[in-house]
Amino acid sequence: MAVTVVGSIAFDAVRTPFGERERMLGGAATHFALAASFFDEVRMVGPVGEDFGAAELEVLHGRGVNTDDIEHVAGGKTFFWKGVYSDNLNSRETLDTRLNVFEHFEPKLSAASREAETLFLANIQPALQLQVREQCTGARFVALDSMDLWINIARDALTRAIGGVDCVILNDEEIELLTGRPTVVGAARELLTMGPSIVVAKQGKYGAGLITREGTFWLPAFPLEQVIDPTGAGDTFAGGFVGYLSAHRDEELTPELMRRAMAYGSAIASFNVEAFGTERVATLTGEEIAERVEELQRITQFTDAPVALRG
Amino acid sequence: MAVTVVGSIAFDAVRTPFGERERMLGGAATHFALAASFFDEVRMVGPVGEDFGAAELEVLHGRGVNTDDIEHVAGGKTFFWKGVYSDNLNSRETLDTRLNVFEHFEPKLSAASREAETLFLANIQPALQLQVREQCTGARFVALDSMDLWINIARDALTRAIGGVDCVILNDEEIELLTGRPTVVGAARELLTMGPSIVVAKQGKYGAGLITREGTFWLPAFPLEQVIDPTGAGDTFAGGFVGYLSAHRDEELTPELMRRAMAYGSAIASFNVEAFGTERVATLTGEEIAERVEELQRITQFTDAPVALRG
């Protein structure tokens, strides 16, 4: 009765126009887990090195995340990513990537993790995503993320992985790259023919779209006057979205439910980017999230009124 | 009792992944006028050459646009732009720009154009925008567009022009460039200190934002499975937005009214990109626009529901 997330746990070194951190807790599974923890029990699966210690676990335990399946690799070092963002935060350059213990990661899931009803396959090798998917016999809802690297070098395995999940959560450009279609709507509809019934297209600072066979929904990002560090925003969004759906797993998966899930994911992601790494989400409260969802609703609604159109 | 638009009237040569046109009617004033014509009388001001004839006027007259102030320059050629779009339409390259009669354009407005209650200063030299603004003593609502070129080479004049208008309609990146602020919200709020009370941030295929001193509103673009030619989408949006406000000039300029204006602008712009140049908007009906506004509302609304947030 929980969400299992399998993915990277990392130390990030990040420089943005507003400051820098030389070593902060990061990784897709971390950001996802913290966000999802507002809605459901979360079990994290991923490898760390000997440099991963009490301080990092404390952040996760502070949000009630179950870390029993975090694999501590003896003699190993945690996955490390170093990047710098451009002045307007629109692009980032990777300065260093050290896979470390992530290089030979073979997901080992405990019975409890395998039996979770919700599974999120964060961005890892598609072959591993397939492996994990097969192990998780209890999963009733499975979502998957990926990246351009796997689309380019492991397209077949990724296609198979996508065929086995309910929901794909990708950037709009990744969806277009994967399908070769130039519009996100056309590309997402093609993904829907590959197995999933839900496609979420992340649009970075612009928001996200939800595409199902029944229709679409588009949610602008929560507007922020200052953004400090975009790292992990996409995984935080996914954590809120999937976590929300997991908490409502006994209800019918209606468009209204999915739209709400998008709003909660978006709200939490907007907090994530207001500070470095996990710093803001670690201290976030449910009340703050709920306020931002309300505000998001207020600033995206309009009413129509009769108008005499000429011609 | 009309909208006056001053700006470029052009022939465009465009190639997109879906086809090409060697010479089609275009220009900011053209796209704006056709969109605004669904709401109010429109008077176009701009220069054309001897190559501009009955076929082009017919498109404008077909939508009831008043072309009395289109200046036919003897011996001149119409402004010409040639561009090619990338495979995913995300970027375009200019292959040729011939200013022709536009190079020495000095706006000459008839009494009727000067007395219009609504004025749109399309993207032209800021010094000319200032001149026109001063001539239009009857204007109660003035909006302005610009581009990165003028921000870079005529910033002072542009700042003065902005100081004299009610509404600025720019791409988000232009607003950020103009103010040096890295977020569109921060940048737009700085623009609001320069004179205007309304900033519209166009976000291309992602939609648009409305920023006033009272708050913000964000509208995703109408989702399209196929986009044929994005040329003129921004001016079409502006025409729908400003035209809608002009038609409701006797009402109070409430957030609800402005949000509706955004929706109508967005709906018309979505038709614009479904065919080359003015081809689709020229045959568009009010009923089609109204349907798309309704659909835009349906696909952007969500309702909240109580949720037990953990922590």
Side-chain angles (χ1 to χ4, degrees), chain B residues 37-51:
Chain B
S37 73
F38 285 94
F39 305 98
D40 207 348
E41 289 171 40
V42 184
R43 305 185 63 91
M44 261 173 90
V45 181
V48 296
E50 289 187 344
D51 50 354

Side-chain angles (χ1 to χ4, degrees), chain B residues 273-295:
Chain B
V273 304
E274 290 189 301
F276 279 95
T278 61
E279 290 168 18
R280 183 66 183 89
V281 176
T283 65
L284 191 59
T285 66
E287 208 170 277
E288 289 174 315
I289 298 170
E291 270 173 28
R292 212 162 257 196
V293 168
E294 264 180 51
E295 174 71 3

Side-chain angles (χ1 to χ4, degrees), chain B residues 171-214:
Chain B
N171 293 332
D172 55 352
E173 289 175 0
E174 292 164 348
I175 298 177
E176 292 164 18
L177 178 67
L178 179 60
T179 59
R181 301 280 303 262
T183 67
V184 67
V185 180
R189 291 212 170 115
E190 193 162 318
L191 271 190
L192 290 174
T193 68
M194 293 164 65
S197 55
I198 303 168
V199 173
V200 175
K202 295 180 287 183
Q203 302 169 314
K205 67 177 178 180
Y206 294 112
L210 171 77
I211 302 99
T212 67
R213 287 182 197 94
E214 289 70 42

Side-chain angles (χ1 to χ4, degrees), chain A residues 5-20:
Chain A
V5 52
V6 182
S8 63
I9 304 165
F11 285 119
D12 291 335
V14 167
R15 195 167 78 238
T16 82
F18 308 104
E20 57 185 314

Side-chain angles (χ1 to χ4, degrees), chain A residues 12-294:
Chain A
D12 291 335
V14 167
R15 195 167 78 238
T16 82
F18 308 104
E20 57 185 314
R21 292 289 183 276
E22 285 190 4
R23 185 177 180 273
M24 65 189 191
L25 177 59
T30 304
H31 288 289
F32 178 95
L34 291 176
S37 73
F38 285 95
F39 305 98
D40 207 347
E41 288 171 41
V42 183
R43 305 185 64 91
M44 261 173 89
V45 180
V48 298
E50 288 187 345
D51 49 355
F52 195 93
E56 288 73 36
L57 288 171
E58 202 181 307
V59 173
L60 299 169
H61 295 159
R63 288 273 346 127
V65 173
N66 184 306
T67 59
D68 292 352
D69 279 7
I70 289 185
E71 182 187 356
H72 295 259
V73 179
K77 289 187 84 175
T78 302
F79 175 46
F80 176 76
W81 177 78
K82 182 177 184 174
V84 56
Y85 285 85
S86 65
D87 279 353
N88 59 5
L89 301 169
N90 281 352
S91 61
R92 71 182 190 190
E93 189 190 347
T94 291
L95 301 177
D96 198 0
T97 303
R98 299 184 192 186
L99 291 177
N100 296 333
V101 297
F102 207 56
E103 189 167 2
H104 301 289
F105 172 48
E106 292 189 22
K108 296 169 195 68
L109 281 72
S110 63
S113 287
R114 285 196 304 270
E115 283 157 18
E117 287 182 294
T118 305
L119 172 64
F120 183 66
L121 303 165
N123 168 32
I124 55 173
Q125 262 190 59
L128 294 184
Q129 292 180 318
L130 274 163
Q131 248 181 55
V132 173
R133 173 69 193 93
E134 282 163 18
Q135 285 180 52
C136 292
T137 47
R140 284 167 47 191
F141 182 83
V142 185
L144 165 156
D145 189 10
S146 191
M147 72 186 295
D148 52 359
L149 174 70
W150 309 122
I151 296 171
N152 287 324
I153 71 168
R155 182 181 290 258
D156 287 352
L158 178 58
T159 302
R160 282 198 303 278
I162 287 173
V165 303
D166 306 285
C167 172
V168 169
I169 303 177
L170 288 171
N171 293 332
D172 54 353
E173 289 174 359
E174 291 164 349
I175 299 177
E176 291 163 18
L177 177 66
L178 179 59
T179 59
R181 301 280 304 261
T183 67
V184 68
V185 180
R189 292 212 171 117
E190 193 161 318
L191 273 189
L192 290 175
T193 68
M194 293 164 63
S197 55
I198 303 169
V199 174
V200 176
K202 296 180 287 183
Q203 303 169 312
K205 67 178 179 178
Y206 294 111
L210 171 77
I211 301 99
T212 67
R213 286 181 198 96
E214 289 69 43
T216 71
F217 169 64
W218 304 87
L219 185 67
F222 188 88
L224 296 170
E225 190 147 342
Q226 193 170 34
V227 172
I228 298 295
D229 171 24
T231 313
D235 295 306
T236 303
F237 170 85
F241 176 75
V242 173
Y244 187 96
L245 292 184
S246 186
H248 295 81
R249 67 173 77 92
D250 294 330
E251 296 175 32
E252 201 193 335
L253 197 62
T254 60
E256 289 68 33
L257 191 73
M258 289 187 271
R259 288 174 177 208
R260 257 171 240 146
M262 296 266 291
Y264 278 87
S266 182
I268 304 177
S270 75
F271 285 108
N272 175 271
V273 303
E274 290 189 303
F276 279 95
T278 61
E279 291 169 17
R280 183 66 183 89
V281 176
T283 65
L284 191 58
T285 67
E287 208 169 279
E288 289 174 313
I289 297 170
E291 270 172 29
R292 213 161 257 197
V293 169
E294 264 181 52

